[in-house]
Amino acid sequence: MIKITYFGHSTFLFTIKDKTVLVDPFIQPNELADQIDVTSINPDYILVSHGHEDHVADVETIAKQSNAMLVSNFEIISWFEKKGIEKVHPMNHGGSKSFDFGTIKYVNAVHSSTLPDGSSGGNPGGFVVQSEEGTFYFAGDTALTYDMKLIGEEFDIDFAVLPIGDNFTMGIRDALKAADFVGTEKIIGMHYDTFPYIQIDKESALAAASSAGKELLLLTIGKSITLGKK
């Protein structure tokens, strides 16, 4: 089983066996996550999907205090290396790499990716994380794309972490199609409510998911759930 702890926006900590994997840390600038103590977060790995500030704001702080392995695309890794982060692993689209908790495949996302200082963040991506405890798709910020069907063909996805805030990414309707494409009935929502542009009607989203035969999980910041293989 995989323990999933939500820190707001698109930030999740996945505990897989005895390893912890933090994704897209944006905590200190997020008023909705003001109860989270960043100094207490010490993951083994940090994954970054793309370069926007609302996905990288706490990378440097957490990477330096935890000595976590930072995994992202080549451009983002190079940018953080200049900030003194040495424990890194660069990837790019279509590539896979095995780590001591499982295997990561870096997959396409349709979005943009500029780092906080205006540098190029390369092309945005998502991650498929495959382990003995389960396999999940973390989409990052993305539009709906037919490339997601390839994920469903290659992997047996237990759950998908999908943006549902609309405006900058998919909304709930496209997220439900994305779940169909990757072949899962279980969705964890992300990238919603943090800013006015992406505030959603939660009851409407839950109803839409139910009507489509999907389970939409909207996690409480600071709380954890456990999911695993089907």
Side-chain angles (χ1 to χ4, degrees), residues 91-148:
M91 298 187 73
N92 219 319
H93 294 79
S96 297
K97 178 65 178 179
S98 291
F99 297 94
D100 54 6
F101 63 87
T103 299
I104 294 173
K105 185 169 186 178
Y106 189 64
V107 296
N108 289 342
V110 177
H111 195 59
S112 54
S113 181
T114 305
L115 288 154
D117 67 354
S119 300
S120 171
N123 293 316
F127 301 97
V128 177
V129 179
Q130 189 174 29
S131 74
E132 294 179 359
E133 306 301 310
T135 299
F136 66 91
Y137 169 45
F138 182 92
D141 283 9
T142 187
L144 180 68
T145 167
Y146 266 92
D147 286 343
M148 294 171 181

Side-chain angles (χ1 to χ4, degrees), residues 13-27:
L13 183 72
F14 299 95
T15 303
I16 306 172
K17 295 182 180 178
D18 60 345
K19 300 297 179 181
T20 50
V21 181
L22 182 69
V23 185
D24 284 359
F26 173 74
I27 301 168

Side-chain angles (χ1 to χ4, degrees), residues 182-197:
V182 303
T184 188
E185 307 301 317
K186 197 178 297 289
I187 301 166
I188 297 176
M190 68 172 178
H191 206 276
Y192 66 92
D193 280 2
T194 315
F195 315 113
Y197 283 126

Side-chain angles (χ1 to χ4, degrees), residues 1-13:
M1 301 293 284
I2 299 171
K3 180 182 177 183
I4 304 153
T5 304
Y6 185 45
F7 292 133
H9 198 52
S10 300
T11 309
F12 295 83
L13 183 72

